Amino acid sequence: MSEAVLPDVMVPPAVGGLYGEKAGGPVVDFSYVGIDAILEQMRRKAMKQGFELNIMVVGQSGLGKSTLMNTLFKSKVSRKSVLATAQEKIPKTIEIKSISHDIEEKGVRMKLTVIDTPGFGDQINNENCWQPIMKFINDQYEAYLQEEININRKKRIPDSRVHCCIYFIPPTGHCLRPLDVEFMRRLSKVVNIVPVIAKADTLTLEERDFFKKKIREELRANGIDVYPQKEFDEDAEDRMINEKIREMIPFAVVGSDQEYQVNGRRLLGRKTKWGTIEVENIAHCEFAYLRDLLIRTHMQNIKDITSSIHYEMYRVRRLNENNTVVTHANESEEQFDSL
């Protein structure tokens, strides 16, 4: 059994004087209540429980989805890295494949689940190719809802809900494809979408800036609200921080899990005939901004919006559907009884 630790304010009268008078002992602040200790209590509890993060990656083959995920977490976390096959064929239909990892950094444990969608956008006819992905996201909400409404529910419900969807846009330099617009328009209503321009090193800086501006215009024109959504800014400080992020979206990223020696430093990058593209150098690409958003500054907010907005909307809709069914059933019974 662990030993109880007494707070500093509980000093025996023989040691310290009354009302902070010094009598050979420490000065006691009798105005101190200890409310701030709740932060340490929450930190200890969170450290014991660990954290969960579920990220979905969507985009056609060859855009570097697996490499980017490995770069983000500096580990082999992508499905292809773990389940390497000889030559993966493009599936005829969209498949949803997920793989989970327990990762730890400085004593903080996190269960990371990466959800891949091989086959998306790779067919001749891509009509309704967003439907299996939408179904998967809603299935996770349904599984959480069923656990929640159980009479004897678990103390901690396993969270398989998709917290964030990274959508990979091909670096065409022109405009969004109808497939991109349709996918983000439909899916932005049920999940946090973060669009990225894949393999951005294939564009010049001028082409990149033009493409980013064009995409932002198209997102506004089609009413697509990507993360961080303006309507969910909590205060002026949030609004100011998020406005800077919104001005950078979509992030032009380059992924690499290869290390190179540059000016005596080892860094992640892509080596070309003309030099090395440094993945974490903001002068070369915007990978660092994406990493900060997903992991260092907005991870908890992404999870909160999933829980309090997207899941809540699904929960309300499903419970209303159930109530409507029960009401109709009761009406039918009453009509039958009156016969």
Side-chain angles (χ1 to χ4, degrees), residues 242-288:
N242 291 342
E243 205 56 56
K244 290 178 182 177
I245 296 168
R246 285 189 279 266
E247 287 170 7
M248 280 192 282
I249 280 176
F251 298 105
V253 298
V254 176
S256 173
D257 45 18
Q258 297 293 316
E259 283 191 357
Y260 294 97
Q261 191 91 15
V262 178
N263 298 328
R265 297 179 298 122
R266 290 199 68 77
L267 45 82
L268 292 170
R270 282 169 56 84
K271 199 164 190 176
T272 69
K273 191 188 295 184
W274 303 275
T276 303
I277 299 152
E278 300 172 26
V279 168
E280 296 181 282
N281 186 339
I282 57 174
H284 292 193
C285 77
E286 295 170 338
F287 167 81

Side-chain angles (χ1 to χ4, degrees), residues 90-109:
I90 294 173
K92 292 182 180 178
T93 56
I94 295 172
E95 300 173 0
I96 311 289
K97 297 184 177 181
S98 62
I99 189 159
S100 296
H101 306 267
D102 290 310
I103 56 181
E104 186 171 336
E105 183 181 54
K106 295 184 179 178
V108 179
R109 290 178 297 106

Side-chain angles (χ1 to χ4, degrees), residues 62-161:
L63 290 181
K65 300 187 295 293
S66 298
T67 304
L68 186 73
M69 292 310 297
N70 293 342
T71 313
L72 267 174
F73 294 96
K74 297 189 176 177
S75 305
K76 302 286 185 183
V77 297
S78 70
R79 178 184 57 84
K80 281 188 179 179
S81 301
V82 179
L83 307 173
T85 52
Q87 182 66 38
E88 189 172 37
K89 293 181 180 178
I90 294 173
K92 292 182 180 178
T93 56
I94 295 172
E95 300 173 0
I96 311 289
K97 297 184 177 181
S98 62
I99 189 159
S100 296
H101 306 267
D102 290 310
I103 56 181
E104 186 171 336
E105 183 181 54
K106 295 184 179 178
V108 179
R109 290 178 297 106
M110 185 171 75
K111 182 185 177 185
L112 171 70
T113 301
V114 179
I115 303 138
D116 199 359
T117 55
F120 176 85
D122 294 325
Q123 313 306 321
I124 295 172
N125 180 7
N126 289 303
E127 189 179 1
N128 298 332
C129 66
W130 49 268
Q131 285 181 343
I133 298 171
M134 174 82 87
K135 182 180 182 302
F136 178 86
I137 292 169
N138 284 332
D139 284 350
Q140 307 318 303
Y141 289 151
E142 182 65 25
Y144 196 90
L145 176 62
Q146 292 305 318
E147 287 284 353
E148 215 176 35
I149 61 178
N150 275 343
I151 295 172
N152 298 316
R153 62 181 180 183
K154 296 171 183 172
K155 187 178 178 182
R156 191 178 183 204
I157 299 172
D159 191 1
S160 62
R161 297 171 296 182

